[in-house]
Amino acid sequence: MKSRITFIHAHNDSAQLEEVKVSSQSIRIKSLTGAREARLTFSVDELPQDVRQNLPSLRHLAAYVRHSICPENDTQCFKRAAHLQQADYLDIDYGAISRGLALTIFHSQPPEPERWNEEMKPYDSLAKTEVGIIMPEKAADSEDLLFEGFLAVLGEDEELSMSILCPCRLQLIIPFQEPTRFSFPSRHHLAPTISGSTFLITFPSPSGLHPTLSIEFPPSMDPPEPACALHTYLTLPSPLFVDKYQLSSPNLLASNNLRAVRALFGGTNLEAPDWMIKQWGSVVLLELAVPQPAQGRSKTPWHADVPLHLRYLSPTAGGKLQVVVPWPVVFWACPAEQGRKMDANPFDRVNVGYDSLFSQRTIFHHFQPKPATKGAVLVEQLTIPVVELGGTRWVESGTIGVICLGAAWVVWKLTTIFSRDRRADTGRAVKGKKTQ
């Protein structure tokens, strides 16, 4: 097993490094603030047999790690297992060729109200653990990330060293007081605040059976570069879908500040009810059209509207159904400079959904969600009216009754027509005999 634990803290907190204690047996972190990323790599042979079972949430994963993986009475392992529940994200990657499983666990801040207080020890003589403490710096190139910091290997180093985390450089061991700097290009950045970098999601009321997802932007927006295009990536649960044929209309796209549907995957059957959709839902990548003011810079926020549709839903006991819709991702997609190598970022997250729909040489400038209530969860809840479970028997009996009445009416009409035609035929026969 190999692991890499990286702490990223603010530059003005450099005094906290004095609380880091390194020995031949352990590394002790005390009262450290900032983000933490742990990346663990296992070979298939090192994994427990029951690790392939499905776990519904991070809470269940934390319980599994505590009871099945942590050594008995290992309080530090118990503590790290509990911290899994507060992780911002957990990525699991399996390499079919290398037959290795990699877990990446990221915390943007320490679990409240704590700071990072850990004592890390080697699991065994074969396991290798690198611990890095780095601080962000302002890079000369806006497309690069620049850090300075220190690195130590558990069980090998007795002091923090100036080891460079970038894989393209040499490893140097120098005193703790002399940090190193390293930089690399990054595909993901925050959108420039000067040009507007926040967005708000709403569903105008009443939503009805055809809700509209409205994305509100600041009044004036300028792309980081002229060649950049504004996109949004929506993850829709199975009760909701977009009509790709509706969104092919140029007039509808223009009236909603949309430019085109760039990708659509998942449950896209327009006629299927929700209980027939086997997928979890669908995803759609839309390019947005930024309105150009007639003259000067607008002072009114603008919005892009995405028309959605509801499927036929199963009846519920109360006649209502809650549909949870996560906020979309909004970003500028910009081409990178020619000749720039974009695969040297050791912290890059790949295959997160939308990035695989662009070339490797695309740089993303992300907008920050700004909910109406500070700290709110970035999901919207729609209350959908459905058939009440107790009232379906009236629908069934009523439907059967209407069918029976309709069938009786058809039989009666056919009988009437048949009788009328028979009488007419009989009348013509009698008239013919009289004539003879």
Side-chain angles (χ1 to χ4, degrees):
M1 185 191 78
K2 296 181 180 179
S3 60
R4 184 190 71 199
I5 302 175
T6 308
F7 295 90
I8 306 173
H9 70 109
H11 191 272
N12 58 5
D13 287 342
S14 57
Q16 296 181 14
L17 295 178
E18 298 177 0
E19 301 293 337
V20 179
K21 306 299 181 183
V22 182
S23 69
S24 60
Q25 298 298 322
S26 67
I27 297 178
R28 180 174 296 177
I29 305 292
K30 184 178 180 182
S31 299
L32 196 66
T33 59
R36 180 186 189 272
E37 182 195 74
R39 182 174 178 83
L40 294 82
T41 305
F42 305 87
S43 66
V44 174
D45 299 334
E46 295 174 313
L47 296 174
Q49 291 298 318
D50 59 348
V51 76
R52 292 165 185 85
Q53 63 178 309
N54 292 326
L55 296 173
S57 68
L58 287 179
R59 179 172 59 84
H60 291 81
L61 176 61
Y64 171 81
V65 171
R66 177 185 175 92
H67 295 100
S68 302
I69 296 181
C70 287
E72 189 177 356
N73 299 324
D74 189 338
T75 57
Q76 286 295 321
C77 186
F78 295 163
K79 187 175 182 180
R80 284 194 288 270
H83 287 170
L84 283 174
Q85 302 181 61
Q86 287 82 41
D88 290 61
Y89 63 79
L90 183 146
D91 293 342
I92 302 176
D93 299 309
Y94 175 72
I97 298 177
S98 63
R99 291 178 56 80
L101 185 72
L103 277 72
T104 303
I105 308 158
F106 179 78
H107 294 80
S108 59
Q109 58 186 4
E112 294 184 356
E114 305 175 17
R115 293 190 173 195
W116 295 116
N117 296 283
E118 299 185 36
E119 184 177 11
M120 292 162 280
K121 298 180 179 180
Y123 290 102
D124 55 55
S125 59
L126 299 179
K128 181 179 180 180
T129 301
E130 294 181 349
V131 179
I133 303 174
I134 59 177
M135 297 159 284
E137 297 283 348
K138 183 176 177 58
D141 193 318
S142 61
E143 296 181 355
D144 286 354
L145 296 180
L146 175 64
F147 294 95
E148 69 173 20
F150 308 90
L151 178 69
V153 179
L154 274 175
E156 297 181 12
D157 298 331
E158 296 187 7
E159 62 180 6
L160 287 176
S161 62
M162 194 191 82
S163 290
I164 299 177
L165 303 184
C166 179
C168 57
R169 311 273 178 83
L170 296 175
Q171 300 290 324
L172 303 176
I173 306 298
I174 69 172
F176 166 82
Q177 289 79 7
E178 300 181 16
T180 187
R181 286 191 173 191
F182 57 96
S183 65
F184 41 79
S186 176
R187 298 184 69 196
H188 298 277
H189 301 268
L190 293 178
T193 56
I194 191 173
S195 61
S197 59
T198 61
F199 69 97
L200 173 66
I201 295 297
T202 57
F203 280 93
S205 298
S207 59
L209 299 179
H210 304 277
T212 297
L213 188 150
S214 183
I215 311 175
E216 183 177 299
F217 293 96
S220 298
M221 293 174 47
D222 297 317
E225 300 290 341
C228 299
L230 185 61
H231 291 79
T232 183
Y233 183 77
L234 282 70
T235 302
L236 301 175
S238 60
L240 288 170
F241 67 94
V242 296
D243 187 343
K244 59 182 178 181
Y245 302 104
Q246 179 188 25
L247 292 178
S248 64
S249 168
N251 292 334
L252 183 139
L253 291 172
S255 63
N256 289 281
N257 290 324
L258 306 176
R259 191 175 301 279
V261 177
R262 296 305 183 192
L264 178 62
F265 302 100
T268 58
N269 189 323
L270 304 182
E271 302 298 333
D274 184 53
W275 57 85
M276 294 296 294
I277 299 297
K278 303 303 181 183
Q279 297 95 333
W280 46 266
S282 60
V283 295
V284 57
L285 176 68
L286 287 163
E287 183 178 346
L288 308 183
V290 181
Q292 301 297 324
Q295 52 182 321
R297 300 182 69 86
S298 173
K299 297 182 179 180
T300 304
W302 67 279
H303 52 88
D305 298 327
V306 183
L308 304 176
H309 306 276
L310 281 164
R311 300 186 183 277
Y312 295 111
L313 302 172
S314 300
T316 63
K320 301 287 184 180
L321 180 67
Q322 294 290 330
V323 176
V324 178
V325 185
W327 279 38
V329 181
V330 181
F331 54 88
W332 294 104
C334 310
E337 297 178 0
Q338 291 293 330
R340 177 176 287 272
K341 188 177 181 181
M342 299 301 299
D343 58 352
N345 184 350
F347 304 109
D348 198 8
R349 297 179 73 197
V350 296
N351 300 322
V352 293
Y354 55 87
D355 61 329
S356 59
L357 303 175
F358 296 86
S359 71
Q360 181 66 26
R361 302 187 55 76
T362 301
I363 297 177
F364 304 98
H365 296 267
H366 295 270
F367 285 67
Q368 294 299 294
K370 188 179 181 181
T373 304
K374 186 177 180 180
V377 179
L378 299 179
V379 297
E380 296 294 321
Q381 291 195 355
L382 296 178
T383 302
I384 308 300
V386 296
V387 176
E388 190 169 356
L389 194 60
T392 55
R393 62 178 182 271
W394 300 107
V395 176
E396 294 172 356
S397 57
T399 302
I400 294 174
V402 170
I403 291 175
C404 292
L405 288 174
W409 181 83
V410 171
V411 171
W412 175 71
K413 293 295 293 184
L414 291 175
T415 303
T416 302
I417 295 173
F418 179 76
S419 300
R420 184 180 61 196
D421 291 344
R422 188 173 183 181
R423 287 196 301 270
D425 292 340
T426 303
R428 284 195 295 269
V430 173
K431 186 177 179 180
K433 289 182 180 181
K434 290 181 179 180
T435 302
Q436 293 177 355

